[in-house]
Amino acid sequence: MAQHKINYTQDGGLPVALTTIDKVANWGRSNSLWAMTYGLACCGIEMMAAGASRYDFDRFGTIFRASPRQSDVMIVAGTLTKKHSEFIKRLYDQMTEPRWVISMGSCANTGGMFNTYATVQGVDRIIPVDLYLPGCAPRPETLQYGVMLLQKKIRANKAGRAQKSKRLM
Amino acid sequence: MRTYKPKDDVQKKAYYTDRFYVAPQVPKSDVESDEVFAKDLEAIKAKFEVLDAYIQVEQMVVWIKPEDNYGVIELMRDELEYTQLSELSAIDFIAQRDEFEIFYQMLSMNKRKRVRIKMSIKNGQAVNSVEKLFRSADWSEREMYDMFGIVANGHPFMKRILMPYDWQGHPLLKSYPLQGDEFAAWYEVDKIFGKEARDIVGPELRDTSRVDRYDSTRFARLGHEVPFGAEVKGDEPVTEQSYQEEGGVFLVKKLDKASSVVVDDPQR
């Protein structure tokens, strides 16, 4: 008779956990959201502040990558000019699935105060956007909150299913 | 009797315009009042024809003929010690007299003086490039071409600098609408998706005073988010933000605010 009987069904038993593939995949995806370094204007400064030590994006597993091929989320931080619009499409197409887009600040949402000939009136005319952050510029707390919302959105999805694009030609 | 103008849309006008407005003029003084400028002007007059010269805000303004611009600026640089060309551009006077005014803003560090060389050219006329004299004129003349369509003859790379190479129109002309013409409005759609995608993407929303109560379906409302396209009722519950919802996943426990302790004392 074993003196220390192991209760397999309780905590502290064998290191076995039962969960679903969806949950594991979503946990991995949502907690390692690598963002693309994409500061276009003054929102980029707030994005950098959110990544630096005071606000510290690394806590969320969000690490900025300098290549679209290594990143999961594109944070469009700033004014998108018409001259640059073809490059944002190209960079978005280079990102691997699954990919997400956060439109950060008024300029990326709607063109903002730049109601002129040279500014794209909302980045969702070019690429599908998952999350719109209001503000001019949004504070780092807003961006962190947005990333947490995006994590929530990712966890709510079925991981195995392909993402449905809102607008893609 | 003055002509009647309907006033029913007067509230929609963005700005009040005074029909009798006369733009204030900066007072001009004689070049002779400054001996450095007087000597410079004599040197220019000895070789080139000067149409007009005066001092405004402690700067000498010299009007020359457009074909003399290279010679005058060479003279200013080599003999009169104006060793910097700090700015160069054009001003649109097409509506008034079908002309552009071109100015070259020059600085002498030795004399501590600034001189503005000005000239008028007809609409469609080209100017001589001064890029050989000042490297700073390289980008300035490209910008002048980009914004006004004024070609600088002899420039090594006469292309647009700010707008894309395939852009149509010159945006700083007074006839160019601020919010762009049709080409500008559909530029990115035409270029990326093609003209047939115009119907799918839709026109730009340019009206800044437009209020749409369904805007909140498109934009995040902090704390009361709604999914894209969902109907907004106005009584959305507050989004509870926590690290892991529904108990989290294995190995990572959900943070329970009620049972956690906030450490206030940094010494603890």
Side-chain angles (χ1 to χ4, degrees), chain B residues 2-266:
Chain B
R2 75 167 84 121
T3 52
Y4 175 76
K5 283 179 185 162
K7 296 176 185 64
D8 46 354
D9 61 342
V10 76
Q11 299 278 322
K12 288 185 180 171
K13 281 175 83 173
Y15 300 106
Y16 169 71
T17 50
D18 184 359
R19 291 184 296 144
F20 305 106
Y21 179 77
V22 181
Q25 298 289 314
V26 179
K28 298 171 185 174
S29 57
D30 201 36
V31 178
E32 300 304 321
S33 60
D34 188 303
E35 56 183 49
V36 179
F37 281 152
K39 269 188 193 169
D40 292 343
L41 187 62
E42 279 308 308
I44 298 172
K45 271 184 175 168
K47 288 190 177 175
F48 300 99
E49 186 183 342
V50 172
L51 304 177
D52 194 9
Y54 46 84
I55 292 179
Q56 265 184 339
V57 204
E58 299 174 11
Q59 294 183 32
M60 181 165 70
V61 181
V62 183
W63 285 83
I64 57 166
K65 294 176 103 178
E67 55 268 27
D68 293 339
N69 69 336
Y70 189 92
V72 170
I73 287 165
E74 193 175 30
L75 176 86
M76 299 278 288
R77 185 190 70 170
D78 295 342
E79 293 173 30
L80 304 180
E81 294 180 313
Y82 288 91
T83 51
Q84 288 186 29
L85 178 69
S86 47
E87 171 73 8
L88 175 177
S89 193
I91 309 166
D92 180 347
F93 283 103
I94 289 176
Q96 287 90 339
R97 45 184 191 272
D98 201 32
E99 274 178 358
F100 287 106
E101 272 182 29
I102 300 196
F103 62 89
Y104 299 87
Q105 187 74 27
M106 306 192 72
L107 168 67
S108 169
M109 298 293 271
N110 290 346
K111 296 177 175 174
R112 289 185 282 176
K113 292 283 185 193
R114 289 179 194 273
V115 168
R116 191 180 304 138
I117 309 286
K118 293 192 88 169
M119 59 194 201
S120 286
I121 62 162
K122 285 283 163 202
N123 186 11
Q125 192 183 342
V127 296
N128 298 320
S129 170
V130 294
E131 191 268 341
K132 296 280 185 300
L133 299 172
F134 289 101
R135 290 285 287 126
S136 69
D138 186 345
W139 283 11
S140 295
E141 281 175 348
R142 282 179 66 187
E143 189 195 4
M144 187 169 77
Y145 167 68
D146 192 358
M147 291 290 139
F148 296 98
I150 301 169
V151 177
N153 285 335
H155 192 281
F157 192 65
M158 195 76 261
K159 281 211 166 192
R160 287 181 182 272
I161 188 167
L162 297 173
M163 304 311 290
Y165 286 164
D166 55 351
W167 192 261
Q168 291 173 14
H170 299 283
L172 227 53
L173 292 175
K174 294 215 188 289
S175 56
Y176 194 89
L178 173 64
Q179 301 184 349
D181 50 13
E182 198 201 341
F183 172 83
W186 294 103
Y187 174 78
E188 75 274 18
V189 177
D190 287 354
K191 188 163 192 186
I192 295 172
F193 303 116
K195 273 199 167 65
E196 59 273 17
R198 284 186 181 190
D199 294 337
I200 306 166
V201 178
E204 292 173 324
L205 299 175
R206 289 275 190 181
D207 186 2
T208 49
S209 59
R210 182 170 167 271
V211 177
D212 186 356
R213 66 177 286 256
Y214 296 109
D215 262 359
S216 41
T217 56
R218 297 187 65 222
F219 298 111
R221 306 180 304 150
L222 288 192
H224 302 272
E225 289 81 6
V226 286
F228 184 85
E231 194 181 344
V232 176
K233 301 216 174 62
D235 56 346
E236 280 72 29
V238 179
T239 313
E240 200 63 48
Q241 194 55 269
S242 58
Y243 181 60
Q244 293 277 345
E245 60 275 2
E246 297 145 18
V249 293
F250 72 105
L251 301 177
V252 182
K253 296 281 185 216
K254 184 182 179 183
L255 173 73
D256 185 12
K257 270 189 186 165
S259 64
S260 55
V261 182
V262 178
V263 181
D264 285 328
D265 180 16

Side-chain angles (χ1 to χ4, degrees), chain A residues 74-119:
Chain A
M74 174 190 259
I75 303 174
V76 185
T79 319
L80 181 67
T81 58
K82 301 219 172 192
K83 191 179 186 178
H84 194 79
S85 56
E86 60 173 312
F87 305 118
I88 198 174
K89 182 77 169 85
R90 194 184 299 173
L91 289 168
Y92 178 77
D93 288 344
Q94 284 178 0
M95 287 164 66
T96 48
E97 295 273 3
R99 56 195 173 190
W100 297 275
V101 175
I102 296 178
S103 163
M104 180 182 178
S106 299
C107 294
N109 290 341
T110 64
M113 60 187 270
F114 298 104
N115 194 4
T116 65
Y117 57 90
T119 310

